Amino acid sequence: MAEPLCNAAVKKCKETMPQTPIFSSMLGSSCSGQVQPDMGERCVDPVYQDGNIVSGSLEALIERLVPTMDYYPDAKLKSFAAKIIQLLKEWTETFPYDFQDEKSMKELKEIAHRITQCDEENGTVKKIISQMTQNLLMALSARSQYQEIKEKFRQPATDKGTILKTKPQSTQKDILSVCCDPLILAQQLTHIELERVSNIYPEDLMQIVSHMDSLDNHKCRGDVTKTYNLEAYDNWFNCLSMLVATEICRVVKKKQRTRMVEFFIDVARECFNIGNFNSMMAIISGMNLSPVARLKKTWSKVKTAKFDVLEHHMDPSSNFCNYRTALQGAAQRSQTANSNREKIVIPVFNLFIKDIYFLHKIHTNRLPNGQINFKKFWEISRQIHDFLTWKQVECPFEKDKKIQSYLLTAPIYSEEALFIASFESEGPENHMEKDSWKTLRTTLLNRA
């Protein structure tokens, strides 16, 4: 940051307008509010549509923020300082990781120090900035501690192998022995979902964009931990799908297996009614896995009408049009809701991530005339803002530790073990299945 900044700002407090640009250090040396000679283009005002900026050159946008001899954003320095404070407050609250290194934190403190000198009473502004800094440090500390805990419990990415004993013992628990009410199980799944999404932050979502840019540029992924929150949530989806498949495939008797399938259909329907689309999709995905889907004798006994409705909602045709309609309905309900129960909106997270990805890939950062494409960033911002609103909802359902413990710790079969259990329940029916079953048995014998 240029040294004359403080003197200019303080001077304005007494008699004149500031002569030097604010944020010159944090925005970069070229962000002086003036067109750089080597750029060869003249700054133009941003283009507005319906009161919103849709495009503009970087220099013009910076000029809208920076006071000069010819332009001043506000009549009073106090008002201008208040806007800077608001900008810093939103920045530090939304993207605290931007200030985790010493250099960024030092620049933030330097700016804060200069702003406090513009407060004539040297009181109100100072208190606001002090509280902002304290909140930032607490946020960084909390996330650092959370990251350490996650790393301790982070499971290795190695294959745990096949569960050789595919048939459960009579004393072994299943989900129905822990919870036989579909609504209660759906509520406990919602508890887990909301706890997971509460640990996802805007910088995690923006990392998708930067990570994709790195892949496009054939660069290595620099900081894996920044997207671990996303990976952990994605792993939860996969674990839930595999848990559903495990609970179904390991049941020996067809009648009980049919009951288990119908139970999960009812759970998925309750998740849909709650607005928990992520768990609903995970359950449906689990029942559509090959080891479960091939159990024709079991499915012939299942009342599939309700399952057909659920699959209709999650039909992938027309870019998941049916799901998006349901999601929009849940979002509208949430906006007018009087209770947290009606405010719950948990989107299918994989689709949410893909939407951000395609928004980034399809639309360019700059228009053909070189101006920044604000429409693209407004849309990405809207998507992330909606998600942040939904994740702040407090779960209204009473937590059941016993049920949640089972959902999070119950043994899950590998894909190989699922096929073994499936074939033992209902033998192979065609040449392909017979070959697969023969290969699996050979593998088991070799291991033994």
Side-chain angles (χ1 to χ4, degrees):
M1 183 173 293
E3 183 60 29
L5 171 61
C6 179
N7 296 333
V10 173
K11 189 175 181 181
K12 166 56 189 169
C13 289
K14 298 179 180 178
E15 54 186 4
T16 68
M17 290 186 179
Q19 308 271 328
T20 32
I22 291 178
F23 288 159
S24 61
S25 175
M26 298 192 87
L27 291 175
S29 58
S30 64
C31 301
S32 60
Q34 306 294 331
V35 181
Q36 299 301 307
D38 58 339
M39 289 185 179
E41 68 173 43
R42 179 177 177 272
C43 283
V44 294
D45 287 336
V47 178
Y48 289 85
Q49 182 177 331
D50 299 327
N52 294 321
I53 296 178
V54 294
S55 67
S57 68
L58 180 61
E59 294 75 26
L61 296 171
I62 294 172
E63 282 190 349
R64 304 297 295 179
L65 297 173
V66 178
T68 66
M69 288 296 294
D70 301 322
Y71 170 77
Y72 197 69
D74 210 308
K76 297 180 180 178
L77 185 61
K78 270 191 174 182
S79 299
F80 184 64
K83 291 183 178 179
I84 297 177
I85 293 172
Q86 181 64 23
L87 171 62
L88 290 176
K89 187 172 181 293
E90 292 187 12
W91 189 354
T92 55
E93 289 177 353
T94 308
F95 297 101
Y97 275 165
D98 285 356
F99 303 92
Q100 62 182 335
D101 61 90
E102 293 183 6
K103 182 180 178 182
S104 298
M105 184 64 77
K106 182 180 178 182
E107 290 185 334
L108 176 65
K109 290 179 178 179
E110 288 177 353
I111 293 174
H113 176 68
R114 283 158 171 76
I115 296 174
T116 56
Q117 294 183 2
C118 298
D119 186 10
E120 295 177 359
E121 293 79 19
N122 198 27
T124 305
V125 171
K126 188 174 182 180
K127 289 179 181 178
I128 295 174
I129 290 179
S130 176
Q131 186 64 49
M132 177 193 74
T133 305
Q134 183 179 352
N135 292 341
L136 172 61
L137 293 174
M138 290 175 61
L140 290 174
S141 176
R143 296 191 193 187
S144 177
Q145 292 176 7
Y146 175 68
Q147 186 67 42
E148 291 176 3
I149 294 173
K150 286 190 302 183
E151 290 301 327
K152 285 183 180 180
F153 292 96
R154 188 170 188 174
Q155 296 295 325
T158 56
D159 184 10
K160 295 181 180 180
T162 306
I163 299 175
L164 299 180
K165 292 183 179 179
T166 58
K167 293 186 178 181
Q169 300 175 0
S170 58
T171 57
Q172 189 173 350
K173 287 183 178 180
D174 63 16
I175 189 65
L176 289 174
S177 67
V178 178
C179 178
C180 60
D181 188 328
L183 175 58
I184 292 178
L185 188 63
Q187 291 174 347
Q188 296 310 305
L189 287 171
T190 303
H191 249 297
I192 295 173
E193 294 279 356
L194 290 174
E195 287 177 2
R196 292 292 191 275
V197 298
S198 68
N199 294 314
I200 296 176
Y201 301 95
E203 54 259 36
D204 294 312
L205 300 174
M206 289 308 298
Q207 185 71 10
I208 300 167
V209 175
S210 60
H211 178 45
M212 294 304 171
D213 285 341
S214 297
L215 290 178
D216 290 344
N217 295 329
H218 306 288
K219 295 178 182 178
C220 294
R221 185 170 169 181
D223 189 354
V224 177
T225 60
K226 281 191 176 180
T227 56
Y228 177 69
N229 289 333
L230 302 182
E231 293 171 0
Y233 193 37
D234 189 51
N235 288 340
W236 154 249
F237 180 96
N238 295 332
C239 285
L240 179 55
S241 294
M242 295 297 284
L243 176 62
V244 170
T246 299
E247 292 288 331
I248 294 172
C249 287
R250 74 177 189 169
V251 179
V252 177
K253 296 182 179 180
K254 182 172 63 176
K255 185 176 181 180
Q256 294 175 345
R257 195 163 52 248
T258 300
R259 182 188 173 202
M260 186 69 75
V261 172
E262 292 181 338
F263 173 72
F264 277 116
I265 291 174
D266 288 338
V267 173
R269 186 180 63 169
E270 294 296 348
C271 286
F272 176 84
N273 293 336
I274 289 173
N276 181 359
F277 299 105
N278 200 58
S279 288
M280 172 191 172
M281 177 65 95
I283 294 171
I284 294 175
S285 298
M287 288 191 287
N288 280 326
L289 290 175
S290 296
V292 179
R294 64 164 299 278
L295 298 172
K296 294 181 180 179
K297 294 178 182 178
T298 302
W299 282 100
S300 66
K301 301 296 182 181
V302 173
K303 299 175 182 178
T304 58
K306 289 183 286 188
F307 186 69
D308 292 340
V309 172
L310 293 175
E311 287 208 305
H312 172 75
H313 287 306
M314 293 298 154
D315 183 358
S317 62
S318 301
N319 193 21
F320 289 89
C321 177
N322 296 336
Y323 156 71
R324 295 182 187 282
T325 300
L327 178 65
Q328 185 179 11
Q332 291 174 348
R333 179 189 67 183
S334 179
Q335 291 175 355
T336 59
N338 296 319
S339 66
N340 282 337
R341 186 170 187 143
E342 296 176 329
K343 290 181 180 179
I344 297 173
V345 182
I346 305 174
V348 178
F349 196 65
N350 284 335
L351 293 179
F352 174 76
I353 295 298
K354 286 179 181 178
D355 285 346
I356 294 179
Y357 168 75
F358 282 112
L359 275 172
H360 175 59
K361 296 298 293 183
I362 294 174
H363 304 286
T364 59
N365 290 346
R366 291 180 180 269
L367 299 175
N369 62 5
Q371 292 185 342
I372 296 174
N373 183 5
F374 260 70
K375 276 189 174 181
K376 167 184 175 175
F377 295 107
W378 277 124
E379 183 56 30
I380 292 178
S381 175
R382 185 189 66 79
Q383 296 267 3
I384 294 177
H385 178 269
D386 287 345
F387 181 81
L388 295 179
T389 300
W390 298 333
K391 80 168 211 163
Q392 292 172 0
V393 175
E394 293 185 10
C395 190
F397 310 121
E398 184 178 352
K399 187 174 183 178
D400 189 311
K401 293 183 179 179
K402 183 180 178 181
I403 297 175
Q404 289 202 20
S405 176
Y406 186 89
L407 290 170
L408 296 171
T409 64
I412 296 174
Y413 285 7
S414 67
E415 185 177 1
E416 190 179 60
L418 285 174
F419 271 111
I420 293 172
S422 178
F423 284 134
E424 288 184 344
S425 296
E426 296 185 19
E429 294 188 351
N430 53 52
H431 292 297
M432 184 178 295
E433 286 190 347
K434 289 178 181 178
D435 290 340
S436 297
W437 181 219
K438 183 178 179 180
T439 302
L440 285 172
R441 283 187 299 180
T442 303
T443 302
L444 283 178
L445 289 173
N446 290 337
R447 288 181 184 173

